[in-house]
Amino acid sequence: MKKHLITILLIVGISSSCFRLYGGAMTINGIHLAKSTLEDYVIQCWQDFIDLMDNGVPGLNIPTFDPWFANNSFPFRMQDGEIVLRADVNATNVTSLGFSSVQVPAVYETSESHYNVSLSLPDLKISGLYTIIGSHHYFYPIVGNGPFDMTLLDVSSSGTTAVLFDGMVYSLTKLQLTPLKYGSATSEFYGLSISDMDSTSETYIEIVHMMTELLWSHVEKELRLQLSDSITQYLNDQLLDFQPSSMHRQP
């Protein structure tokens, strides 16, 4: 059956229970509402998703996003030629707090039926356990084992998506989010020892900055992919119910 692209305004958010149709109207959390347009329907579903990020959607196997719990550990190697740095790092039990404060400052139509959705977070907190072993300048040891805390400020991303209509059911193409970038960060790796340097030394600060940047690049990838999959899955499930009285068949 031929599919027709239709335009839709998207706003980021999620919910474990959005609209369900009952006869000629919809009920949202016990409030009886008249049928809305497709745009209103999806916008409300996304906003509800934000409000219920701490619950997830068990029936769809959608995890919680505030807090969010990583499924994997994050091993990586740090290398830097300038300070002759070489160290192996591993992070486990990684969690994040704050994603339910996500905002959508703008939505741009990039082409017919395709939209770029920008999103931002004022701050995001990441915590977990880490280990590191290595050296810098050939001889000076770098060791650490314990908890860590990271606070990322001005986190942002964007994504593109479109909605399809096959004559009976609407569906959402997978939301493709760009990497979540941050403006600035503060980090504390408890128990970190860099050749007995003071934590205010230039080399110590540089190594902590590198650890923060590399660790986040691994964590954000898992978080971003889960978010993209969950948003798409949830909205497609909700779109199965969308049958507005004003909808007309495409010729």
Side-chain angles (χ1 to χ4, degrees):
M1 184 175 295
K2 184 178 180 180
K3 294 186 176 181
H4 300 277
L5 287 172
I6 64 169
T7 60
I8 184 169
L9 177 70
L10 295 180
I11 292 183
V12 169
I14 300 181
S15 161
S16 65
S17 61
C18 187
F19 298 147
R20 293 294 175 189
L21 296 177
Y22 297 94
M26 291 179 291
T27 298
I28 308 174
N29 297 328
I31 302 173
H32 198 61
L33 300 176
K35 288 182 179 178
S36 64
T37 65
L38 177 61
E39 288 84 358
D40 292 338
Y41 185 83
V42 174
I43 287 170
Q44 184 61 57
C45 287
W46 285 61
Q47 186 58 53
D48 287 348
F49 192 70
I50 293 176
D51 297 338
L52 295 175
M53 276 187 169
D54 57 344
N55 294 325
V57 188
L60 297 176
N61 293 319
I62 292 176
T64 63
F65 283 95
D66 197 5
W68 172 78
F69 302 92
N71 293 325
N72 303 308
S73 60
F74 301 98
F76 59 92
R77 172 163 289 178
M78 295 173 56
Q79 290 182 294
D80 183 83
E82 185 174 342
I83 60 174
V84 198
L85 168 69
R86 183 183 177 93
D88 290 315
V89 184
N90 188 37
T92 58
N93 297 344
V94 175
T95 64
S96 76
L97 286 171
F99 214 92
S100 60
S101 63
V102 66
Q103 301 171 359
V104 182
V107 179
Y108 303 98
E109 185 174 7
T110 57
S111 62
E112 184 179 358
S113 305
H114 290 77
Y115 286 83
N116 182 291
V117 183
S118 62
L119 63 90
S120 65
L121 290 161
D123 62 82
L124 190 64
K125 299 184 185 300
I126 310 295
S127 61
L129 302 174
Y130 84 100
T131 59
I132 182 172
I133 183 167
S135 64
H136 69 99
H137 290 109
Y138 298 107
F139 305 109
Y140 301 102
I142 302 172
V143 293
N145 185 356
F148 72 87
D149 292 306
M150 296 162 42
T151 299
L152 311 177
L153 302 178
D154 300 322
V155 180
S156 62
S157 178
S158 63
T160 56
T161 189
V163 171
L164 304 173
F165 180 58
D166 66 3
M168 295 182 64
V169 176
Y170 292 95
S171 63
L172 182 73
T173 61
K174 183 177 179 180
L175 178 66
Q176 301 290 342
L177 288 172
T178 61
L180 292 154
K181 297 182 179 180
Y182 59 88
S184 61
T186 57
S187 302
E188 184 74 39
F189 292 88
Y190 300 96
L192 177 62
S193 174
I194 303 177
S195 57
D196 296 325
M197 286 184 179
D198 185 86
S199 61
T200 60
S201 71
E202 183 177 346
T203 299
Y204 189 102
I205 293 172
E206 181 179 357
I207 291 173
V208 168
H209 174 78
M210 291 175 60
M211 288 176 66
T212 301
E213 195 172 64
L214 289 171
L215 176 55
W216 173 241
S217 70
H218 288 76
V219 173
E220 80 81 26
K221 182 177 181 180
E222 182 175 324
L223 172 59
R224 171 168 46 90
L225 292 177
Q226 282 191 24
L227 185 62
S228 294
D229 288 342
S230 297
I231 288 172
T232 305
Q233 181 182 4
Y234 178 79
L235 286 179
N236 280 335
D237 178 72
Q238 298 303 313
L239 285 170
L240 293 174
D241 283 340
F242 183 70
Q243 298 175 1
S245 57
S246 59
M247 185 174 69
H248 298 285
R249 294 292 183 185
Q250 299 286 341

